[in-house]
Amino acid sequence: MTEPAADENSLEARVNRVIEAIRPYIQGDGGDIQLVGIEGAVVKVRLRGACVGCPHSMMTLKMGVERHMREHVPEIESVEAVD
């Protein structure tokens, strides 16, 4: 029996799993999301495709991505979009 990789439960791995779970919904509307980095308790993401310039992208980011992220990775306080 093999042991799971130590980094499987790292903060970055858990954040990536949440992003991968959300990605199909964002792609379904013609957009995409990419993890840029994690600074303290803040996740930095880049929105792409139809999300760029969309007036609803910030609502999606805060009410969708951030809410889901905080639910699954409680030590995260916010999700911010970067260029």
Side-chain angles (χ1 to χ4, degrees):
M1 182 185 276
T2 60
E3 296 272 335
D7 64 354
E8 220 174 81
N9 290 314
S10 70
L11 181 61
E12 185 173 351
R14 291 181 293 136
V15 166
N16 268 316
R17 282 195 294 272
V18 172
I19 289 174
E20 289 303 316
I22 293 168
R23 179 172 276 131
Y25 300 103
I26 294 173
Q27 288 175 333
D29 285 332
D32 204 356
I33 186 170
Q34 172 190 22
L35 176 63
V36 174
I38 303 168
E39 295 178 10
V42 179
V43 173
K44 306 278 187 170
V45 296
R46 181 171 290 120
L47 298 174
R48 299 179 143 187
C51 291
V52 176
C54 175
H56 301 289
S57 65
M58 285 303 112
M59 187 169 67
T60 297
L61 186 68
K62 291 297 179 182
M63 299 303 291
V65 178
E66 183 175 281
R67 191 180 110 256
H68 198 70
M69 187 69 68
R70 292 176 69 189
E71 186 176 305
H72 289 84
V73 188
E75 55 266 57
I76 295 301
E77 293 177 3
S78 69
V79 177
E80 298 177 1
V82 297
D83 292 329

